[in-house]
Amino acid sequence: MARIPYPRRDEYPPELSELLGKMPRVGVVEMLAHAPRLAEAVLRLLQAQFTSLELSLRHRELLILTVAGKIGCDYEYQQHIPISAAAGVEPALREALWAGKLDGSPPLTDDDRALIEFVGLIVDCPKIDEEKLTEVRSHFSDREVVEILQLVGCYWGLGRLCTFPA
């Protein structure tokens, strides 16, 4: 049960109403509508994150699942089960990310492991040391590293919005 009531769709500004009318109803998006201009910007950012990134869909989903697991956002995790499955994320890996227990089953590629460790550090630490940055840059381009940082921030924020009202 949300601790903040969801805004009424009939009270949205026309621009937001039009934008939301093109999307499936999702609780976190509905909650964002309390701040209409912010909601519009976030929705456009989310759209760009699925249409304009160099980071692969698999890596985006591993990132989102890692963030969801680290912050305990079941809603975010559940929303990304079918998306991550379509991106080739194995159920055992998805479940391990949720539980925070990567035990080597299924085995990870070096890229996957570097990404998951990097995302975990971003969520847990205010700064990343040079050694870890150098390691992740050996697997991902500078553009992808920037995309990773932005995606973690975005999904951390969405996850917090989801866990706050609960």
Side-chain angles (χ1 to χ4, degrees):
M1 175 58 98
R3 296 186 333 196
I4 298 173
Y6 289 99
R8 292 180 30 188
R9 275 196 171 209
D10 62 349
E11 295 176 355
Y12 295 171
E15 302 82 23
L16 181 59
S17 190
E18 182 181 333
L19 187 59
L20 289 173
K22 298 174 186 173
M23 304 176 62
R25 293 190 77 146
V26 179
V28 67
V29 172
E30 299 288 325
M31 192 59 72
L32 276 172
H34 277 295
R37 294 204 186 262
L38 176 63
E40 291 175 35
V42 169
L43 292 172
R44 293 189 196 294
L45 175 63
L46 290 170
Q47 180 183 33
Q49 290 173 343
F50 279 91
T51 61
S52 304
L53 299 186
E54 189 172 286
L55 196 64
S56 72
L57 180 57
R58 176 183 171 81
H59 285 134
R60 280 179 267 174
E61 289 304 310
L62 289 176
L63 180 153
I64 293 164
L65 293 168
T66 301
V67 171
K70 295 286 284 177
I71 66 172
C73 184
D74 185 60
Y75 182 85
E76 199 165 63
Y77 175 79
Q78 294 296 328
Q79 291 294 310
H80 283 270
I81 288 174
I83 302 168
S84 64
V89 177
E90 304 85 350
L93 176 54
R94 185 174 41 250
E95 292 163 14
L97 291 171
W98 176 248
K101 296 180 181 175
L102 292 172
D103 60 5
S105 176
L108 297 173
T109 66
D110 290 342
D111 288 355
D112 289 352
R113 182 169 304 287
L115 174 70
I116 292 165
E117 289 175 2
F118 188 55
V119 169
L121 286 173
I122 295 167
V123 172
D124 291 342
C125 306
K127 295 186 180 188
I128 306 299
D129 66 35
E130 285 300 316
E131 184 179 324
K132 183 47 75 174
L133 181 58
T134 298
E135 180 185 340
V136 82
R137 287 180 71 209
S138 73
H139 297 279
F140 298 96
S141 69
D142 289 342
R143 174 181 169 167
E144 289 172 312
V145 171
V146 170
E147 292 172 355
I148 291 165
L149 291 165
Q150 181 58 42
L151 278 170
V152 170
C154 181
Y155 279 91
W156 184 91
L158 289 172
R160 283 293 165 237
L161 189 59
C162 292
T163 57
F164 171 77

